Amino acid sequence: MSQKITIHDIARELNLTSGTVSRALNDHPRISDATKKLVKEKATELKYQRNKIASSLRSGKTHTIGVIIPSAQMNFFGSVVHGIEMMASSNGYSILLYQTEETAALEIKAIEAFLSARVDGILASVAKETVDFSHYNELQKRNIPLVFFDRTNDELKVPSVVVDDYKGAFLATEHLIQSGYLRIAHVSGPQQLKTFNERLRGYKAALEKYSIVVEQELIYQGDISIEAGRAAVDYFFTLSDIPDAVFAVEDYSALGVIKGLKDRKIRMPGEFGVIGFANENFGEHISPSLSSVDQQTVQMGKEALGLLMELIALKENKPGYPLREKIVLEPLMQFRQSSTGKTISIKQAKNNTTLANLS
Amino acid sequence: MSQKITIHDIARELNLTSGTVSRALNDHPRISDATKKLVKEKATELKYQRNKIASSLRSGKTHTIGVIIPSAQMNFFGSVVHGIEMMASSNGYSILLYQTEETAALEIKAIEAFLSARVDGILASVAKETVDFSHYNELQKRNIPLVFFDRTNDELKVPSVVVDDYKGAFLATEHLIQSGYLRIAHVSGPQQLKTFNERLRGYKAALEKYSIVVEQELIYQGDISIEAGRAAVDYFFTLSDIPDAVFAVEDYSALGVIKGLKDRKIRMPGEFGVIGFANENFGEHISPSLSSVDQQTVQMGKEALGLLMELIALKENKPGYPLREKIVLEPLMQFRQSSTGKTISIKQAKNNTTLANLS
DNA sequence: GTGAAAGCGCTAACAC
DNA sequence: GTGTTAGCGCTTTCAC
């Protein structure tokens, strides 16, 4: 049988009341050290385990936070969750984890579960599919502390932790320019997500800084997948003026681009430069190794939890916490082989081939 | 203000009692369809959210399970958690996630949190550091359903889900033999973990099946890291009789081997065959693409949760569940470029080079 | 088919 | 410094 020692059992054995036992266990200031010691010893002796359920019901605090991610299988989110859980645990919080599989339906289901579980706060990375944010709105109405990480939305005024997507994209694009690439394309992601929109903005800004005209035909409306990258290459090679570099919105898209270019026997780097975003763990091991923008995933998780703790403290009217609306992490540039110096243009390469054929 | 609609509010508005409302919400058979409909409509109208805390306190069931993993940052565990959460969610269960960072201290802390949260069951992958299993023993004493996955311990009689490491290693080694490789080495992992020991056993068994003598000098005592793989190559090339293939205990070691061989300009496959274990996500994207043994991570998670559900049902005396003690998943062979047919021996290659130099 | 009432185990006023 | 008391919101016997 599973044990069921309660504070009443401890109280009875010590000739105290359950109230005193409860206070002793919670280190209430007005309980004498002697009884505290007595109670705690008896508690361990009886292998008492505090019933958090009952405690939560009475106190209204669960010390549990809900975490919503698209999928734990994606390295990026596993890493963020790692950061979140570490910090949560050391703050005495437990985390309830739900995955959306990028669908709004599961996102709604997760929020309902959290509401029902009376979590003290929620950390979420919005699903790709989500366009209607009313379920998040509902959380705000109910005054439930909420922090977005990575995937955010600006319509809702939700505090968030993100990497500086704009800056990362800007630097990535600038790096391609400085490496000598002249016609730089972009494989973009779903534009309803601010994350991806910011990266597009950064891309454009870098071009503009160097007085390069932003051409709409060089922006392929893609997705974060290998397939999207491949499709982008197929598309780019239908253009009359083929690009010689790609800044992909994410590493998997970048990988697709590399695969597509390899199929076409394009030399990377040299003929073609590629840079991605996310610094997924395969990047440094493929060939050419993929240049990318590191998003400080673990730190992102820690910061997100920290911000949520502040919101929770604020809600409980504990003062002294200046509320930050947004934490922006520095993108860490990881320059590898795929984006290093341009040596020869595709046109030149083609001409060479033509010459070779003629000779 | 956060809302606090209770069943009493619904009851009052409908001139019913809270008991009836509770039953209606839970689809109790003796409640008329009419009232059920009425109650449910009113519930959504008032945006009622069932208080799971109160429900759990009263019923003794939390519909929550605790999950213990070394780290969510490790792709393997992220993947298993993905499987666990998917299945849990579709069974109406929430998961509480704790990481051990491979330490016994955090493992104990996690179990205490789970006990206190009154989880209905626990899924755990043992920390590398753990040698004393008394905290897991305590769970058994308290009759809390427990299932191990991947990292198991044979002393405790805990139901578990693992991949057949022996068989996977056997098939991997056999594949190298059948591909024409003659002198097959092994980069092994920490032998105190049963997982890695089983893989060594499988390697030896395959050699023996083909009457190949197991040579101790071909077994490099390594680890699951790129560095270990590189070091293994350095070592193998000091041997008077250099091997022509490697079965590495894990993909990162295999990757190190590939990198080491590339540095030495060894052609793969052909001159040298390599196969790993784990089917990490970089494997199919590197060149040569890495042959490996897939551990069915997502399936492992699903099976672990399924087994736990059975244990929970058993505890509640719902009959008809034959209890399985151990689920062993089939290793799925992923043959890619790195292990395909041998075409030329290193000796031959050297001779060719020598000849070329002479001419 | 529904009502009445007890209580899950804890916390937190309010006493003194 | 400790006792008393009243619930938190739900489920669940026992009625009828």
Side-chain angles (χ1 to χ4, degrees), chain A residues 106-126:
Chain A
L106 286 179
E107 202 169 68
I108 291 168
K109 202 179 155 198
I111 288 176
E112 273 170 3
F114 291 159
L115 246 24
S116 177
R118 300 293 193 267
V119 295
D120 290 343
I122 294 174
L123 250 32
S125 207
V126 180

